[in-house]
């Protein structure tokens, strides 16, 4: 290397905006579910870049798609369409309820598009009074000012001046709290079909079906934020497929690109028509490189082999974590669905999830947290069973070092 400065963690504090507090370790390469840092120490990756690396690191199908497209054409404006975007959109439409797709670059952007579309639809079809958006406490929808305000943690949206208006928050898994807020003035209800950042909280069957019914009763659009739950994470291609509830708009990102930035908003022709020419857009949305990689992700994940494997691997995690807990009694609950799993720390360890994460790093396994008291696992959907076993053994060592 030719740099006359050293590329190490300390440089972060010198040259980066201080909105993150990254750990001391700098990973430099990955293969499958293993990652190596600057000192060549190996880690088993149970974090998956926060549910992004759906097929692990440097999956050959994704590397192949990126290289192939990288030698054809990288970027076109939206003045032209391109082959990878058309192929990906067609495959998303063929495998979901949706009839139309809009591409962007992130989860927040896909939710921003969904919310703007809902407001347009309501204004066109029902008039200016129908503008209320209802979302849920502890929900997370991204960090643009609109999406972070719709998200259910005021702490994330406070401190930036006046917020976008007519946004209310009900309680997750509490239908009465939604009933108290919803009316014919409600334009849309935005919900995660399993709260990720908010603590790995699954909806009850009665609740999620009740949300759909209330939306129907009041002519409100139901928007499923599947940025974290989508692309196989919970064991089906999209989480809605297992809930007996179909949304009007669905947003997807994270796993959709397997590590290449992409977002998508999916909806019906009838609703999509309200985003007329010129009403919304994105320079990079539908970028050929992103769409080519995403097509390879979808082709790989949307197979019975991979989808069935997710359920089998999830059982290895749950059984393994329960076995650890039987020895050390650190978790009050193991919850979640598919390969989005939360281990809730007992009363004694409240607020210490980050301590467990750091101890796990020391032992050579990367995990996530969801809030201060939950350890979250969001590994590759194709993580080898022996990597699950090895990673859990390292995680157990981390627990031994703390209890
Ligand atoms: C991560 C996440 C987002 C935000 O995605 P970005 O790509 O960071 O903008 C939105 N919604 C949910 C449910 C998420 O988990």
């Amino acid at each position: 290397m030719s740099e006359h400065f050293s590329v190490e963690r300390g440089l972060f504090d010198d040259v980066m905006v201080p909105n993150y507090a990254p750990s001391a370790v700098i990973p430099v390469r990955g293969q499958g579910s293993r990652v190596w840092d600057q000192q060549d120490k190996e880690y088993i990756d149970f974090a998956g870049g926060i549910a992004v690396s759906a097929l692990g690191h440097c999956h050959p199908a994704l590397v192949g798609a990126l290289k192939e497209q990288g030698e054809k054409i990288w970027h076109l404006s939206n003045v032209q369409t391109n082959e990878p975007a058309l192929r990906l959109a067609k495959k998303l439409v063929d495998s979901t309820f949706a009839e139309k797709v809009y591409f962007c670059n992130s989860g927040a952007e896909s939710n921003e598009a969904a919310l703007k579309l809902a407001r347009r639809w309501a204004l066109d079809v029902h008039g200016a009074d129908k503008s209320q958006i209802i979302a849920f406490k502890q929900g997370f929808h991204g960090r643009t000012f609109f999406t972070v305000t719709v998200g259910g943690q005021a702490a994330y949206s406070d401190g930036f001046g006046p917020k976008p208006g007519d946004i209310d928050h009900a309680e997750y898994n509490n239908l009465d709290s939604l009933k108290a807020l919803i009316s014919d003035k409600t334009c849309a209800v935005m919900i995660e079909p399993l709260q990720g950042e908010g603590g790995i909280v699954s909806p009850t069957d009665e609740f999620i079906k009740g949300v759909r019914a209330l939306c129907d009763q009041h002519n409100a659009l139901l928007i499923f934020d599947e940025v974290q739950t989508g692309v196989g994470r919970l064991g089906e291609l999209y989480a809605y497929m297992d809930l007996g509830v179909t949304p009007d708009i669905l947003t997807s990102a994270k796993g959709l690109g397997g590590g290449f930035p992409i977002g998508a908003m999916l909806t019906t022709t009838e609703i999509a028509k309200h985003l007329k020419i010129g009403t919304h857009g994105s320079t990079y949305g539908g970028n050929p490189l992103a769409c080519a990689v995403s097509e390879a992700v979808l082709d790989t994940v949307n197979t019975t082999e991979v989808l069935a494997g997710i359920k089998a691997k999830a059982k290895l995690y749950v059984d393994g974590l329960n076995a650890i807990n039987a020895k050390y009694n650190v978790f009050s609950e193991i919850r979640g669905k598919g390969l989005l799993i939360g281990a809730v720390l007992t009363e004694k360890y409240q607020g210490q999830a980050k301590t467990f994460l750091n101890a796990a790093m020391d032992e050579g396994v990367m995990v996530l947290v969801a809030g201060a008291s939950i350890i979250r696992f969001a590994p590759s959907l194709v993580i080898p069973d022996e990597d699950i076993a090895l990673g859990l053994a390292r995680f157990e060592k981390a627990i031994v070092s703390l209890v």
Side-chain angles (χ1 to χ4, degrees):
M1 277 192 209
S2 59
E3 287 94 348
H4 57 275
F5 51 85
S6 55
V7 182
E8 53 191 34
R9 172 59 180 82
L11 194 54
F12 183 94
D13 299 329
D14 293 343
V15 299
M16 304 277 272
V17 167
N19 61 318
Y20 302 118
S23 70
V25 166
I26 300 183
V28 291
R29 70 195 163 88
Q31 190 61 57
S33 284
R34 302 203 184 193
V35 167
W36 291 268
D37 70 11
Q38 287 178 316
Q39 284 70 42
D40 216 30
K41 176 174 164 178
E42 181 205 84
Y43 301 82
I44 302 285
D45 186 3
F46 282 178
I50 314 196
V52 167
S53 311
L55 294 168
H57 300 275
C58 299
H59 189 285
L62 276 55
V63 173
L66 184 61
K67 281 187 175 162
E68 193 188 324
Q69 189 59 43
E71 290 178 348
K72 279 188 185 164
I73 195 161
W74 284 26
H75 184 74
L76 289 159
S77 71
N78 291 300
V79 176
Q80 286 85 30
T81 187
N82 66 78
E83 290 181 355
L86 292 171
R87 284 200 305 264
L88 178 60
K90 170 74 174 143
K91 289 178 180 185
L92 285 168
V93 162
D94 284 350
S95 41
T96 65
F97 76 95
E99 297 160 326
K100 293 285 190 286
V101 180
Y102 165 81
F103 289 123
C104 50
N105 313 288
S106 68
E109 279 184 44
S110 60
N111 286 329
E112 184 84 19
L115 293 165
K116 284 181 70 180
L117 170 57
R119 283 270 178 88
R120 275 266 163 181
W121 166 86
L123 190 62
D124 287 353
V125 178
H126 297 279
D129 275 353
K130 198 173 176 67
S131 62
Q132 184 200 32
I133 289 162
I134 303 177
F136 294 85
K137 290 173 187 165
Q138 303 307 315
F140 184 78
H141 302 296
R143 296 285 200 150
T144 65
F145 207 12
F146 199 173
T147 59
V148 82
T149 305
V150 171
Q153 283 188 277
Y156 290 167
S157 53
D158 287 349
F160 298 99
K163 298 179 186 183
D166 213 1
I167 297 166
D168 292 296
H169 296 94
E171 275 167 33
Y172 203 79
N173 276 336
N174 180 342
L175 211 49
D176 285 339
S177 79
L178 178 59
K179 253 182 222 157
L181 288 171
I182 201 167
S183 74
D184 290 349
K185 291 185 174 178
T186 306
C187 135
V189 173
M190 178 173 262
I191 188 168
E192 295 164 83
L194 179 155
Q195 283 193 330
E197 303 304 306
I200 317 294
V201 180
S202 294
T204 63
D205 189 54
E206 184 202 1
F207 173 68
I208 201 73
K209 288 184 172 141
V211 171
R212 176 73 270 183
L214 283 171
C215 286
D216 291 344
Q217 193 183 325
H218 294 285
N219 272 316
L221 298 181
L222 177 59
I223 306 170
F224 267 17
D225 177 347
E226 293 231 29
V227 170
Q228 190 156 165
T229 56
V231 195
R233 180 57 48 191
L234 302 195
E236 303 289 338
L237 185 62
Y238 284 99
Y240 84 86
M241 295 171 173
D242 208 25
L243 294 177
V245 167
T246 303
D248 301 298
I249 303 176
L250 180 152
T251 57
S252 187
K254 289 202 166 102
L256 184 62
F260 203 101
I262 186 169
M265 177 190 71
L266 281 58
T267 188
T268 62
T269 301
E270 194 53 32
I271 296 167
K273 72 182 186 198
H274 297 280
L275 276 191
K276 296 184 185 77
I277 293 170
T279 52
H280 193 56
S282 154
T283 295
Y284 290 112
N287 170 282
L289 282 176
C291 290
V293 174
S294 181
E295 186 191 4
V297 173
L298 202 64
D299 285 346
T300 310
V301 171
N302 198 17
T303 57
T304 42
E305 187 198 342
V306 170
L307 293 174
I310 292 162
K311 286 162 196 155
K313 290 175 194 304
K315 186 171 180 333
L316 292 179
Y317 271 97
V318 172
D319 290 351
L321 289 168
N322 278 321
I324 290 172
N325 202 34
K327 289 194 221 169
Y328 309 104
N329 196 26
V330 282
F331 309 128
S332 58
E333 190 187 1
I334 313 288
R335 66 192 188 205
K337 192 173 179 185
L339 285 173
L340 187 54
I341 299 164
V344 186
L345 293 169
T346 56
E347 204 59 48
K348 186 177 168 194
Y349 301 103
Q350 285 301 292
Q352 292 186 40
K354 201 76 196 279
T355 309
F356 282 75
L357 181 152
N358 289 331
M361 282 297 279
D362 289 344
E363 295 297 339
V365 58
M366 297 162 70
V367 300
L368 298 165
V369 302
S373 304
I374 299 172
I375 300 161
R376 174 172 35 159
F377 303 86
S380 159
L381 306 178
V382 294
I383 182 171
D385 292 354
E386 47 284 15
D387 286 11
I388 298 177
L390 183 57
L392 284 174
R394 291 181 184 179
F395 186 60
E396 180 169 349
K397 276 197 201 162
I399 287 174
V400 171
S401 76
L402 292 175
V403 298

